[in-house]
Amino acid sequence: MSVTAQTVWNSCLEFIKDNIQPQAYKTWFEPIVAVKLTDNALSIQVPSKFFYEWLEEHYVKILKVSLTKELGEKAKLVYIIKMENTYGNKQPFTEKIPSSNRSAMKSQEVDVPLNNKSPELRNPFVIPGIRNVKIESQLNPNYSFENFLEGDSNRLARSAGLAVASKPGGTSFNPLLIFGGVGLGKTHLAHAIGVDIKDKYPEKTVLYISAEKFTQQYIDSVKKNNRNDFIHFYQIIDVLIIDDVQFLSGKTGTQDVFFHIFNHLHQNGKQVILTSDKAPVDMQDIEQRLLSRFKWGLSAELQTPDFETRVSILKNKLYRDGVDMPDDIIEYVAKNIKSNVRELEGAIISLIAQSSFNKKEITIDLARIIVEKFVKNTKREVSIDYIQKVVSDYFQMDIDTLQSKTRKRHIVQARQLAMFFAKKFTKASLASIGSQIGKRDHATVLHACKTVDNLSTTDKQFRKYVEDITKKLSV
Ligand code: ADP
Ligand code: MG
């Protein structure tokens, strides 16, 4: 058999494959194309300059050993960097720092001589000369641990966050998933971890990004044909923070790519921090393999803060804003606004604004008016108890019957409807709905929701039940 670039490279690959992790092989060697063999020089084509640098930094030894085995002591490796579509767009997270004297290219130092013919590569994700470029963290310094007041509602999540910040990638909290309802501090805490890491480990690359933006970038990269660069960009991050991962629901392409990025980071001891409005068991339309990864680390819940915590959050905020407010007014606001921290802050901000616009003193009466507006505007959540009452009234049965273990069809249906509406109208988790409606588990609730969905599209009578009860619950 004649010796060609392909056969030489295939033999190298066999050797390499036996000696490195499968995932690394897949990521870094499968995309390479052998192009040319002249004398003792093998030319291989790599997808980007970043790719070339990565190979040089991590795999030059194994490349040398394998190529020398095939071509003898004089073996040479020539990289050809494939020009991908280059875009003049501004680079979203990258910022060039004046290059140091140190040569960014290791090409002169390596034993396998290189012949790098790369023109300047520009695209949103590839970072030429990775050592000389900083990635903007996108962190908000105001969202610090110092400003994140501790209480029973957040103690676990907060201390897990602190642990992660002092040893990113080095604790069993990887990934750290912070979950909880709106306005409870997920974004704040996620930033605080990043800010603290940047403080303690300035050399680490930290990146905060919302799942929504991540998805958008991914879609763009597919359009522009630089999906690989997108992946490589994320694979060099030391601490990746993705906010609101529930946004990935149903987006299989993005989930896929995130799965690979996640695996790569995790395998390399990098830290991943995620936030979500639901616990992993309650996430819908997220691939099972991704969900199971989420459960590898720690899921910590942020709950609604108790009265004391609400008071201290308010006091801290007022102190930082330099506003003096009598304790009884602070307590009045804290007592009446319980849903979440964002609303609590909103109420206090409009109280301050009102008083300064109208040059009025902040009085308890003013507080009463403003709090009332806030409470009115935030639609009161129907409770699961109320839903059970409405549904059982509608079917003229009592709540005990609705909750009973019977398998009689009309009772099962009533129960399933109650579960369906609890899911639809409250923020309760599937597990919590199940435990309140006849002590069932979350799978039963999920099944109930699906059954109701199905029946209401196929069964006229059933659709009428759904419409009637919806009306009763909406008034
Ligand atoms: P989420 O991302 O969960 O919707 P955010 O992180 O945006 O919530 O928080 C909403 C607001 O409440 C932010 O202004 C945040 O600073 C504030 N906040 C939440 N929890 C706390 C806390 N424990 N201490 C101080 N401020 C908090
Ligand atoms: Mg948020």
Side-chain angles (χ1 to χ4, degrees), residues 289-357:
R289 56 177 191 167
L290 201 52
L291 278 183
S292 83
R293 293 296 188 275
F294 291 175
K295 293 176 198 159
W296 275 2
L298 176 77
S299 303
E301 183 170 12
L302 288 177
Q303 290 160 335
T304 45
D306 54 27
F307 175 71
E308 277 76 32
T309 315
R310 297 202 292 276
V311 169
S312 47
I313 290 174
L314 284 182
K315 286 194 170 160
N316 179 265
K317 170 139 191 68
L318 291 166
Y319 175 78
R320 277 187 291 134
D321 293 351
V323 177
D324 238 351
M325 199 178 281
D327 277 357
D328 58 334
I329 294 181
I330 297 175
E331 280 167 19
Y332 179 82
V333 175
K335 198 167 156 206
N336 288 282
I337 298 194
K338 304 176 215 168
S339 47
N340 70 55
V341 184
R342 190 173 296 144
E343 280 185 3
L344 197 61
E345 287 188 343
I348 214 83
I349 290 167
S350 66
L351 191 53
I352 298 169
Q354 281 289 332
S355 87
S356 62
F357 287 152

Side-chain angles (χ1 to χ4, degrees), residues 102-324:
R102 190 165 62 102
S103 154
M105 297 286 166
K106 284 173 80 186
S107 49
Q108 279 84 354
E109 304 160 27
V110 293
D111 293 330
V112 182
L114 296 158
N115 195 357
N116 169 34
K117 299 195 187 101
S118 150
E120 259 307 285
L121 273 167
R122 293 211 313 174
N123 74 49
F125 310 110
V126 171
I127 304 145
I130 193 72
R131 285 170 222 87
N132 286 338
V133 165
K134 195 174 99 184
I135 294 173
E136 275 294 324
S137 290
Q138 315 285 323
L139 290 166
N140 178 348
N142 295 325
Y143 282 165
S144 62
F145 271 115
E146 207 175 69
N147 290 335
F148 191 80
L149 278 279
E150 186 174 346
D152 286 345
S153 56
N154 63 34
R155 190 159 287 120
L156 171 68
R158 192 175 185 280
S159 45
L162 279 167
V164 163
S166 58
K167 256 175 109 186
T171 68
S172 53
F173 308 153
N174 199 10
L176 173 63
L177 174 79
I178 302 162
F179 70 96
V182 283
L184 293 180
K186 301 180 295 293
T187 299
H188 185 144
L189 184 54
H191 275 273
I193 301 169
V195 169
D196 202 23
I197 292 175
K198 261 325 241 190
D199 207 35
K200 292 191 170 108
Y201 305 92
E203 77 289 354
K204 284 210 190 290
T205 308
V206 180
L207 181 69
Y208 167 89
I209 187 153
S210 66
E212 187 173 0
K213 209 161 162 195
F214 179 85
T215 303
Q216 198 50 53
Q217 286 182 353
Y218 171 67
I219 293 169
D220 286 349
S221 81
V222 171
K223 271 194 209 139
K224 293 177 180 167
N225 230 332
N226 56 7
R227 184 177 180 271
N228 271 349
D229 294 336
F230 172 86
I231 295 172
H232 296 149
F233 173 82
Y234 278 97
Q235 286 181 339
I236 59 160
I237 308 285
D238 295 317
V239 178
L240 179 61
I241 305 169
I242 303 200
D243 203 358
D244 289 321
V245 289
Q246 76 276 0
F247 187 84
L248 302 181
S249 288
K251 305 192 171 64
T252 25
T254 316
Q255 285 182 34
D256 255 17
V257 80
F258 178 59
F259 180 75
H260 289 293
I261 291 168
F262 177 89
N263 284 341
H264 182 92
L265 294 178
H266 197 272
Q267 255 170 30
N268 289 285
K270 306 301 171 66
Q271 180 72 45
V272 178
I273 298 156
L274 308 167
T275 80
S276 163
D277 69 353
K278 294 180 198 69
V281 306
D282 293 318
M283 290 185 197
Q284 283 174 15
D285 298 318
I286 300 267
E287 284 177 55
Q288 207 47 49
R289 56 177 191 167
L290 201 52
L291 278 183
S292 83
R293 293 296 188 275
F294 291 175
K295 293 176 198 159
W296 275 2
L298 176 77
S299 303
E301 183 170 12
L302 288 177
Q303 290 160 335
T304 45
D306 54 27
F307 175 71
E308 277 76 32
T309 315
R310 297 202 292 276
V311 169
S312 47
I313 290 174
L314 284 182
K315 286 194 170 160
N316 179 265
K317 170 139 191 68
L318 291 166
Y319 175 78
R320 277 187 291 134
D321 293 351
V323 177
D324 238 351

